[in-house]
Amino acid sequence: MGRRGRDAAAAAAALVVVLAAAAAASASSPAEGFQPLSKIAVHRTTVEMQPSAYVRATPSLLGGQGEDTEWVTVKYGWSSPSVHDWIAVFSPADFISGTCPNPARHPGEPPLCTAPIKYRYANYSANYIYWGKGSVRFQLINQRYNFSFALFTGGLENPKLIAVSEPISFKNPKAPVFPRLAQGKTHDEMTVTWTSGYDISEAYPFVEWGAVGAAAGAEPARTPAGTLTFSRGSMCGEPARTVGWREPGFIHTAFMRNLWPNKEYYYKIGHELQDGSVVWGKPYTFRAPPSPGQNSLQRVIVFGDMGKAERDGSNEFANYQPGSLNTTDTLVKDLDNYDIVFHIGDLPYANGYISQWDQFTAQVAPITANKPYMIASGNHERDWPNTGGFFNVKDSGGECGVPAETYYYYPAENRANFWYKVDYGMFRFCIADSEHDWREGTPQYAFIEQCLSTVDRKHQPWLVFAAHRVLGYSSNDWYAMEGSFEEPEGRESLQKLWQKYRVDIAFFGHVHNYERTCPVYQSRCMTNEKSHYSGTMNGTIFVVAGGGGSHLSDYTTAVPKWSIFRDRDFGFVKLTAFNHSSLLFEYKRSSDGKVYDSFTVDRDYRDVLSCVHDSCFPTTLAT
């Protein structure tokens, strides 16, 4: 073997060591994991441009035909290649200039003020170590600014910037992108939210919409949209206030009202410029929700903790949300076979890197543009010390709920209080916020009781509760170690409400696996049946559906009596209401879309009315 061959072999061996170390770190990481961008020590960056180093990106103009997603080829190299070299994507392209609002613990301002959007190791390209040059492809989305690509050496811990590409850009960086449907506060209202680079002073945002198959000559409706954004000052801590900050663009929401139940509608978002011309988004369709109590086929998807991943392989050694693309793709392929989605917390796991919210909205856009996408608040959206939350932890990376509450619409009375109800045909959904106090005597407890108690079970027989953290039952290993199988004080106040108002199913995320209980009350199974339930409604079935895509969680080895089925895999739940007395529950794996657990419920209204333990008010002896 020649000298260059020995050098290549040594480099390959070094790469194996690096990969092994990364795998070991991933395997031993705590349950919450690490946001891949947090591994980059931005504050330690030095600028040491090398004459022999180069980075070139093509094409230089993106979105020439109105595309909001494009692939870019990046070629790079220099005379001293190393396994520690990496390529980063920055946006805006001029990422070195500016004043850095870094915390006092990093004395002196580093040359870099911001983290990249994504990165890949240079030796992902074959023979980079041998030849000193390589080529990779990145997938970019329209994010309102231009892009540049940078070559670093020194690894992620001691980055040295040695070359930067010329900037590239989308043809219209401000174009409206990634619409997100959500049901409004009433059943005949659909909202659409989207992101653009247009402030209200530059262009008027609106949605143009109408019924599919309307009479010839019928004019579409135009509904104006409201516009929101947020600033660095809205963030509660770092990295959201520092290296993770990126302007979020302008978020617009329009309301399409007085919809006919189950009718199909078309819509297109747009911005009218000052000269009267319009910048359009892509056209889409949706089906209006059924009216409350309507007897029709109704299909619901439920999952939590999906996260995001990159189709181009960037951020590659992090293994942060390994199943997210599987879940997304399986749901996209099956769009015609469900009607509404509930993502119950932990959406992108941006953890203070605001650019990742754009990346997430792009990933799920094929779903959200066509189906109402209802979200709940998770710890990675909301939690930050001393901000009024129930948990005094730093899981949101300083976001303290602001991006989630702005990028997505949900029909809450107060958007900062992330609890709300949804009436969808024969279903009533009561969505709670596990990041705020839910115990008896709190405003949220009052909301939960009001939501559960006001449903007419004759016409809406299927009553569903959902929250992010496990307020019911889970045999996850860390809950088992605490001896509670729940969040501390999780079900103590709520279980009497679930029983009193006869909640059919309670969904939770947070634990990254799947688990289903028997109909249970006060830790006891109320029936021995496991696959078919009929007759008196005598307990709530608790479901952990937190396997949307984030790294998986382990169970305790001893299986509690109330645990019927467990699956440590990525997946989601589908509920199908055939009519007022027949419900099908299915758990599907994201990898193949096949059913791995299921049960059916057949129950008449009188079975809901029947009294069981702690479910009825006292009666009188009067005749």
Side-chain angles (χ1 to χ4, degrees):
M1 183 183 295
R3 180 177 180 275
R4 299 204 72 168
R6 288 193 297 272
D7 289 346
L15 177 59
V16 169
V17 172
V18 171
L19 288 170
S26 175
S28 61
S29 62
E32 297 301 345
F34 293 99
Q35 170 32 265
L37 298 179
S38 71
K39 297 184 176 185
I40 302 172
V42 177
H43 59 284
R44 295 180 186 163
T45 303
T46 58
V47 177
E48 302 178 18
M49 295 295 188
Q50 299 295 318
S52 67
Y54 66 90
V55 187
R56 304 185 186 101
T58 55
S60 59
L61 183 65
L62 311 175
Q65 303 300 317
E67 301 92 342
D68 51 35
T69 304
E70 289 268 34
W71 285 88
V72 174
T73 299
V74 179
K75 296 183 178 181
Y76 51 89
W78 77 304
S79 59
S80 302
S82 163
V83 294
H84 302 294
D85 299 349
W86 51 286
I87 297 285
V89 184
F90 285 90
S91 180
D94 186 14
F95 61 93
I96 305 176
S97 62
T99 301
C100 302
N102 278 283
R105 74 165 188 260
H106 303 321
E109 292 184 350
L112 261 63
C113 301
T114 183
I117 289 174
K118 57 173 75 175
Y119 64 90
R120 296 180 79 166
Y121 284 100
N123 59 13
Y124 184 88
S125 179
N127 297 320
Y128 171 73
I129 300 301
Y130 186 79
W131 294 110
K133 57 184 179 181
S135 175
V136 296
R137 299 182 75 214
F138 284 101
Q139 186 184 58
L140 300 184
I141 64 169
N142 194 343
Q143 283 186 267
R144 301 171 298 285
Y145 285 103
N146 55 5
F147 301 85
S148 61
F149 302 83
L151 177 60
F152 290 84
T153 190
L156 304 180
E157 288 297 316
N158 294 287
K160 298 178 179 63
L161 176 62
I162 59 176
V164 181
S165 75
E166 291 295 318
I168 68 172
S169 178
F170 277 83
K171 184 177 181 180
N172 181 6
K174 294 186 175 184
V177 290
F178 313 130
R180 306 176 285 279
L181 295 174
Q183 189 167 317
K185 291 184 179 179
T186 58
H187 72 277
D188 61 351
E189 178 179 80
M190 189 73 77
T191 72
V192 59
T193 300
W194 69 94
T195 309
S196 84
Y198 291 114
D199 194 358
I200 191 69
S201 62
E202 298 177 85
Y204 297 106
F206 65 91
V207 60
E208 184 172 282
W209 58 285
V212 172
E219 289 292 323
R222 277 197 180 183
T223 303
T227 298
L228 297 173
T229 188
F230 54 91
S231 66
R232 190 194 298 266
S234 304
M235 303 293 95
C236 295
E238 61 171 318
R241 289 180 70 99
T242 56
V243 297
W245 171 253
R246 186 182 190 273
E247 63 80 26
F250 299 98
I251 294 92
H252 317 278
T253 299
F255 296 80
M256 296 172 279
R257 296 188 168 101
N258 298 317
L259 304 176
W260 290 35
N262 282 61
K263 194 170 185 62
E264 189 175 4
Y265 288 84
Y266 65 87
Y267 76 95
K268 188 163 55 171
I269 54 178
H271 291 260
E272 182 180 308
L273 304 178
Q274 299 293 341
D275 63 3
S277 63
V278 174
V279 178
W280 290 103
K282 298 176 181 178
Y284 297 97
T285 63
F286 67 87
R287 190 169 298 279
S291 59
Q294 179 178 307
N295 189 20
S296 59
L297 182 67
Q298 295 155 17
R299 303 157 301 179
V300 181
I301 299 294
V302 184
F303 63 86
D305 307 79
M306 185 163 74
K308 57 165 285 292
E310 301 291 350
R311 297 189 186 279
D312 56 22
S314 55
N315 303 348
E316 61 259 50
F317 299 132
N319 196 33
Y320 188 43
Q321 316 295 347
S324 61
L325 291 181
N326 277 352
T327 300
T328 300
D329 293 346
T330 299
L331 290 175
V332 170
K333 291 176 185 175
D334 204 37
L335 269 178
D336 292 339
N337 295 312
Y338 59 89
D339 305 302
I340 187 171
V341 176
F342 287 85
H343 186 160
I344 53 174
D346 283 7
L347 280 68
Y349 292 81
N351 292 10
Y353 291 87
I354 308 302
S355 66
Q356 303 306 287
W357 280 93
D358 285 315
Q359 300 287 328
F360 178 76
T361 59
Q363 177 178 302
V364 297
I367 304 170
T368 65
N370 297 280
K371 306 292 180 181
Y373 198 86
M374 315 305 297
I375 67 168
S377 180
N379 53 305
H380 285 279
E381 279 79 57
R382 180 60 180 80
D383 292 358
W384 193 257
N386 302 311
T387 60
F390 196 44
F391 295 91
N392 209 36
V393 293
K394 295 186 175 183
D395 294 349
S396 77
E399 294 178 11
C400 53
V402 176
E405 294 164 14
T406 309
Y407 274 106
Y408 284 83
Y409 176 84
Y410 46 94
E413 292 301 322
N414 179 346
R415 297 286 292 282
N417 294 335
F418 220 124
W419 51 78
Y420 62 94
K421 72 176 177 68
V422 174
D423 288 318
Y424 192 87
M426 295 175 284
F427 289 96
R428 161 70 64 90
F429 294 91
C430 297
I431 309 301
D433 178 2
S434 63
E435 311 316 300
H436 283 91
D437 196 346
W438 58 83
R439 295 173 298 177
E440 198 163 359
T442 63
Q444 181 167 199
Y445 183 91
F447 157 78
I448 294 170
E449 181 158 29
Q450 194 272 344
C451 185
L452 298 178
S453 65
T454 55
V455 61
D456 179 355
R457 299 297 288 276
K458 291 188 300 295
H459 303 296
Q460 290 180 278
W462 311 117
L463 182 55
V464 178
F465 176 91
H468 177 63
R469 291 177 184 261
V470 178
L471 308 184
Y473 297 84
S474 166
S475 63
N476 172 65
D477 58 355
W478 77 71
Y479 286 145
M481 285 189 287
E482 294 173 356
S484 59
F485 298 108
E486 60 164 346
E487 286 292 334
E489 301 186 72
R491 59 179 176 265
E492 278 65 17
S493 293
L494 296 177
Q495 61 183 343
K496 59 185 177 184
L497 294 184
W498 297 326
Q499 183 75 353
K500 179 178 179 180
Y501 298 110
R502 302 169 177 84
V503 172
D504 292 287
I505 304 172
F507 285 101
F508 307 100
H510 196 57
V511 173
H512 303 163
N513 55 38
Y514 169 77
E515 185 168 20
R516 170 172 67 97
T517 75
C518 59
V520 62
Y521 180 52
Q522 295 180 333
S523 300
R524 293 181 54 203
C525 288
M526 306 303 287
T527 176
N528 293 324
E529 183 53 69
K530 297 182 179 180
S531 61
H532 178 77
Y533 303 101
S534 61
T536 303
M537 194 270 159
N538 54 11
T540 297
I541 296 170
F542 295 89
V543 176
V544 172
S550 191
H551 45 276
L552 294 168
S553 302
D554 293 322
Y555 303 98
T556 181
T557 53
V559 182
K561 291 182 178 180
W562 40 256
S563 182
I564 299 299
F565 191 95
R566 308 194 301 187
D567 189 42
R568 189 182 182 276
D569 208 329
F570 304 111
F572 54 90
V573 166
K574 181 179 181 181
L575 300 175
T576 303
F578 296 102
N579 50 50
H580 287 76
S581 59
S582 183
L583 179 73
L584 172 64
F585 174 105
E586 297 171 299
Y587 161 68
K588 299 185 176 186
R589 285 185 183 168
S590 300
S591 56
D592 56 16
K594 294 181 179 179
V595 176
Y596 286 81
D597 182 37
S598 67
F599 64 84
T600 56
V601 181
D602 288 299
R603 190 169 58 236
D604 293 325
Y605 178 50
R606 64 177 181 177
D607 299 320
V608 179
L609 293 177
S610 297
C611 294
V612 294
H613 186 64
D614 288 347
S615 73
C616 282
F617 292 100
T619 57
T620 178
L621 295 178
T623 59

PDB file of all heavy atoms in Angstrom, residues 519-537:
ATOM      1  N   PRO A 519     -59.625  -0.161  30.014  1.00  0.00           N
ATOM      2  CA  PRO A 519     -60.446   0.886  30.627  1.00  0.00           C
ATOM      3  C   PRO A 519     -60.153   0.897  32.129  1.00  0.00           C
ATOM      4  O   PRO A 519     -60.388  -0.094  32.826  1.00  0.00           O
ATOM      5  CB  PRO A 519     -61.883   0.441  30.326  1.00  0.00           C
ATOM      6  CG  PRO A 519     -61.759  -0.452  29.134  1.00  0.00           C
ATOM      7  CD  PRO A 519     -60.440  -1.162  29.316  1.00  0.00           C
ATOM      8  N   VAL A 520     -59.605   2.001  32.608  1.00  0.00           N
ATOM      9  CA  VAL A 520     -59.039   1.990  33.947  1.00  0.00           C
ATOM     10  C   VAL A 520     -59.568   3.156  34.771  1.00  0.00           C
ATOM     11  O   VAL A 520     -59.867   4.230  34.236  1.00  0.00           O
ATOM     12  CB  VAL A 520     -57.481   2.029  33.866  1.00  0.00           C
ATOM     13  CG1 VAL A 520     -56.991   3.297  33.211  1.00  0.00           C
ATOM     14  CG2 VAL A 520     -56.836   1.849  35.226  1.00  0.00           C
ATOM     15  N   TYR A 521     -59.718   2.926  36.057  1.00  0.00           N
ATOM     16  CA  TYR A 521     -60.066   3.973  37.011  1.00  0.00           C
ATOM     17  C   TYR A 521     -59.346   3.668  38.318  1.00  0.00           C
ATOM     18  O   TYR A 521     -59.409   2.546  38.819  1.00  0.00           O
ATOM     19  CB  TYR A 521     -61.580   4.036  37.223  1.00  0.00           C
ATOM     20  CG  TYR A 521     -62.002   5.097  38.212  1.00  0.00           C
ATOM     21  CD1 TYR A 521     -61.582   6.414  38.080  1.00  0.00           C
ATOM     22  CD2 TYR A 521     -62.839   4.790  39.283  1.00  0.00           C
ATOM     23  CE1 TYR A 521     -61.970   7.394  38.973  1.00  0.00           C
ATOM     24  CE2 TYR A 521     -63.257   5.759  40.190  1.00  0.00           C
ATOM     25  CZ  TYR A 521     -62.808   7.059  40.034  1.00  0.00           C
ATOM     26  OH  TYR A 521     -63.192   8.022  40.924  1.00  0.00           O
ATOM     27  N   GLN A 522     -58.634   4.667  38.815  1.00  0.00           N
ATOM     28  CA  GLN A 522     -57.869   4.526  40.050  1.00  0.00           C
ATOM     29  C   GLN A 522     -56.958   3.302  40.009  1.00  0.00           C
ATOM     30  O   GLN A 522     -56.917   2.492  40.940  1.00  0.00           O
ATOM     31  CB  GLN A 522     -58.811   4.484  41.258  1.00  0.00           C
ATOM     32  CG  GLN A 522     -59.561   5.799  41.459  1.00  0.00           C
ATOM     33  CD  GLN A 522     -60.494   5.771  42.666  1.00  0.00           C
ATOM     34  OE1 GLN A 522     -60.981   4.708  43.061  1.00  0.00           O
ATOM     35  NE2 GLN A 522     -60.733   6.926  43.261  1.00  0.00           N
ATOM     36  N   SER A 523     -56.256   3.162  38.902  1.00  0.00           N
ATOM     37  CA  SER A 523     -55.231   2.129  38.685  1.00  0.00           C
ATOM     38  C   SER A 523     -55.790   0.708  38.577  1.00  0.00           C
ATOM     39  O   SER A 523     -55.022  -0.251  38.587  1.00  0.00           O
ATOM     40  CB  SER A 523     -54.168   2.166  39.797  1.00  0.00           C
ATOM     41  OG  SER A 523     -53.531   3.431  39.819  1.00  0.00           O
ATOM     42  N   ARG A 524     -57.097   0.576  38.436  1.00  0.00           N
ATOM     43  CA  ARG A 524     -57.710  -0.742  38.318  1.00  0.00           C
ATOM     44  C   ARG A 524     -58.399  -0.901  36.977  1.00  0.00           C
ATOM     45  O   ARG A 524     -59.123  -0.002  36.535  1.00  0.00           O
ATOM     46  CB  ARG A 524     -58.737  -0.974  39.432  1.00  0.00           C
ATOM     47  CG  ARG A 524     -58.155  -1.066  40.830  1.00  0.00           C
ATOM     48  CD  ARG A 524     -59.264  -1.315  41.830  1.00  0.00           C
ATOM     49  NE  ARG A 524     -60.064  -2.494  41.475  1.00  0.00           N
ATOM     50  CZ  ARG A 524     -61.320  -2.680  41.885  1.00  0.00           C
ATOM     51  NH1 ARG A 524     -61.922  -1.771  42.625  1.00  0.00           N
ATOM     52  NH2 ARG A 524     -61.962  -3.791  41.536  1.00  0.00           N
ATOM     53  N   CYS A 525     -58.195  -2.047  36.357  1.00  0.00           N
ATOM     54  CA  CYS A 525     -58.929  -2.362  35.130  1.00  0.00           C
ATOM     55  C   CYS A 525     -60.402  -2.583  35.467  1.00  0.00           C
ATOM     56  O   CYS A 525     -60.725  -3.328  36.392  1.00  0.00           O
ATOM     57  CB  CYS A 525     -58.365  -3.611  34.463  1.00  0.00           C
ATOM     58  SG  CYS A 525     -56.748  -3.378  33.681  1.00  0.00           S
ATOM     59  N   MET A 526     -61.269  -1.959  34.688  1.00  0.00           N
ATOM     60  CA  MET A 526     -62.700  -2.071  34.940  1.00  0.00           C
ATOM     61  C   MET A 526     -63.347  -3.191  34.133  1.00  0.00           C
ATOM     62  O   MET A 526     -64.538  -3.448  34.251  1.00  0.00           O
ATOM     63  CB  MET A 526     -63.389  -0.734  34.622  1.00  0.00           C
ATOM     64  CG  MET A 526     -62.774   0.459  35.344  1.00  0.00           C
ATOM     65  SD  MET A 526     -62.747   0.272  37.151  1.00  0.00           S
ATOM     66  CE  MET A 526     -64.479   0.490  37.532  1.00  0.00           C
ATOM     67  N   THR A 527     -62.553  -3.867  33.287  1.00  0.00           N
ATOM     68  CA  THR A 527     -63.031  -5.012  32.514  1.00  0.00           C
ATOM     69  C   THR A 527     -61.820  -5.853  32.131  1.00  0.00           C
ATOM     70  O   THR A 527     -60.697  -5.352  32.073  1.00  0.00           O
ATOM     71  CB  THR A 527     -63.786  -4.566  31.253  1.00  0.00           C
ATOM     72  OG1 THR A 527     -64.139  -5.722  30.483  1.00  0.00           O
ATOM     73  CG2 THR A 527     -62.915  -3.677  30.380  1.00  0.00           C
ATOM     74  N   ASN A 528     -62.070  -7.117  31.848  1.00  0.00           N
ATOM     75  CA  ASN A 528     -60.992  -8.002  31.391  1.00  0.00           C
ATOM     76  C   ASN A 528     -60.872  -8.040  29.874  1.00  0.00           C
ATOM     77  O   ASN A 528     -59.942  -8.644  29.338  1.00  0.00           O
ATOM     78  CB  ASN A 528     -61.233  -9.428  31.914  1.00  0.00           C
ATOM     79  CG  ASN A 528     -61.100  -9.515  33.424  1.00  0.00           C
ATOM     80  OD1 ASN A 528     -60.257  -8.842  34.022  1.00  0.00           O
ATOM     81  ND2 ASN A 528     -61.925 -10.339  34.052  1.00  0.00           N
ATOM     82  N   GLU A 529     -61.792  -7.391  29.196  1.00  0.00           N
ATOM     83  CA  GLU A 529     -61.765  -7.384  27.736  1.00  0.00           C
ATOM     84  C   GLU A 529     -60.585  -6.549  27.225  1.00  0.00           C
ATOM     85  O   GLU A 529     -60.173  -5.574  27.864  1.00  0.00           O
ATOM     86  CB  GLU A 529     -63.083  -6.830  27.192  1.00  0.00           C
ATOM     87  CG  GLU A 529     -63.209  -6.848  25.683  1.00  0.00           C
ATOM     88  CD  GLU A 529     -62.935  -8.211  25.089  1.00  0.00           C
ATOM     89  OE1 GLU A 529     -63.740  -9.128  25.286  1.00  0.00           O
ATOM     90  OE2 GLU A 529     -61.877  -8.345  24.445  1.00  0.00           O
ATOM     91  N   LYS A 530     -60.022  -6.940  26.086  1.00  0.00           N
ATOM     92  CA  LYS A 530     -58.855  -6.252  25.549  1.00  0.00           C
ATOM     93  C   LYS A 530     -59.020  -5.741  24.120  1.00  0.00           C
ATOM     94  O   LYS A 530     -58.314  -4.818  23.715  1.00  0.00           O
ATOM     95  CB  LYS A 530     -57.633  -7.177  25.601  1.00  0.00           C
ATOM     96  CG  LYS A 530     -57.233  -7.578  27.009  1.00  0.00           C
ATOM     97  CD  LYS A 530     -55.993  -8.455  27.003  1.00  0.00           C
ATOM     98  CE  LYS A 530     -55.590  -8.830  28.432  1.00  0.00           C
ATOM     99  NZ  LYS A 530     -54.360  -9.686  28.443  1.00  0.00           N
ATOM    100  N   SER A 531     -59.907  -6.320  23.340  1.00  0.00           N
ATOM    101  CA  SER A 531     -59.981  -5.959  21.933  1.00  0.00           C
ATOM    102  C   SER A 531     -61.348  -5.469  21.485  1.00  0.00           C
ATOM    103  O   SER A 531     -61.472  -4.911  20.398  1.00  0.00           O
ATOM    104  CB  SER A 531     -59.576  -7.149  21.050  1.00  0.00           C
ATOM    105  OG  SER A 531     -60.449  -8.243  21.267  1.00  0.00           O
ATOM    106  N   HIS A 532     -62.361  -5.678  22.309  1.00  0.00           N
ATOM    107  CA  HIS A 532     -63.695  -5.218  21.941  1.00  0.00           C
ATOM    108  C   HIS A 532     -64.436  -4.791  23.198  1.00  0.00           C
ATOM    109  O   HIS A 532     -64.498  -5.539  24.178  1.00  0.00           O
ATOM    110  CB  HIS A 532     -64.475  -6.323  21.227  1.00  0.00           C
ATOM    111  CG  HIS A 532     -65.870  -5.899  20.864  1.00  0.00           C
ATOM    112  ND1 HIS A 532     -66.132  -5.068  19.798  1.00  0.00           N
ATOM    113  CD2 HIS A 532     -67.073  -6.175  21.434  1.00  0.00           C
ATOM    114  CE1 HIS A 532     -67.432  -4.849  19.735  1.00  0.00           C
ATOM    115  NE2 HIS A 532     -68.029  -5.511  20.707  1.00  0.00           N
ATOM    116  N   TYR A 533     -64.976  -3.580  23.167  1.00  0.00           N
ATOM    117  CA  TYR A 533     -65.664  -3.044  24.329  1.00  0.00           C
ATOM    118  C   TYR A 533     -67.099  -2.708  23.950  1.00  0.00           C
ATOM    119  O   TYR A 533     -67.352  -2.072  22.916  1.00  0.00           O
ATOM    120  CB  TYR A 533     -64.948  -1.789  24.844  1.00  0.00           C
ATOM    121  CG  TYR A 533     -63.494  -2.054  25.187  1.00  0.00           C
ATOM    122  CD1 TYR A 533     -62.480  -1.680  24.310  1.00  0.00           C
ATOM    123  CD2 TYR A 533     -63.144  -2.704  26.363  1.00  0.00           C
ATOM    124  CE1 TYR A 533     -61.144  -1.939  24.604  1.00  0.00           C
ATOM    125  CE2 TYR A 533     -61.815  -2.973  26.669  1.00  0.00           C
ATOM    126  CZ  TYR A 533     -60.821  -2.590  25.780  1.00  0.00           C
ATOM    127  OH  TYR A 533     -59.505  -2.860  26.085  1.00  0.00           O
ATOM    128  N   SER A 534     -68.023  -3.138  24.779  1.00  0.00           N
ATOM    129  CA  SER A 534     -69.432  -2.861  24.533  1.00  0.00           C
ATOM    130  C   SER A 534     -70.146  -2.739  25.866  1.00  0.00           C
ATOM    131  O   SER A 534     -69.609  -3.093  26.916  1.00  0.00           O
ATOM    132  CB  SER A 534     -70.073  -3.972  23.679  1.00  0.00           C
ATOM    133  OG  SER A 534     -69.984  -5.216  24.354  1.00  0.00           O
ATOM    134  N   GLY A 535     -71.359  -2.238  25.814  1.00  0.00           N
ATOM    135  CA  GLY A 535     -72.132  -2.091  27.043  1.00  0.00           C
ATOM    136  C   GLY A 535     -71.699  -0.884  27.848  1.00  0.00           C
ATOM    137  O   GLY A 535     -71.173   0.092  27.317  1.00  0.00           O
ATOM    138  N   THR A 536     -71.905  -0.970  29.161  1.00  0.00           N
ATOM    139  CA  THR A 536     -71.676   0.166  30.050  1.00  0.00           C
ATOM    140  C   THR A 536     -70.262   0.719  29.909  1.00  0.00           C
ATOM    141  O   THR A 536     -69.281  -0.012  29.885  1.00  0.00           O
ATOM    142  CB  THR A 536     -71.908  -0.264  31.509  1.00  0.00           C
ATOM    143  OG1 THR A 536     -73.229  -0.774  31.632  1.00  0.00           O
ATOM    144  CG2 THR A 536     -71.723   0.919  32.447  1.00  0.00           C
ATOM    145  N   MET A 537     -70.170   2.048  29.835  1.00  0.00           N
ATOM    146  CA  MET A 537     -68.883   2.733  29.728  1.00  0.00           C
ATOM    147  C   MET A 537     -68.332   2.906  31.148  1.00  0.00           C
ATOM    148  O   MET A 537     -68.788   3.747  31.908  1.00  0.00           O
ATOM    149  CB  MET A 537     -69.099   4.088  29.034  1.00  0.00           C
ATOM    150  CG  MET A 537     -67.834   4.753  28.563  1.00  0.00           C
ATOM    151  SD  MET A 537     -67.173   5.803  29.829  1.00  0.00           S
ATOM    152  CE  MET A 537     -65.500   5.919  29.303  1.00  0.00           C
TER     153      MET A 537
END
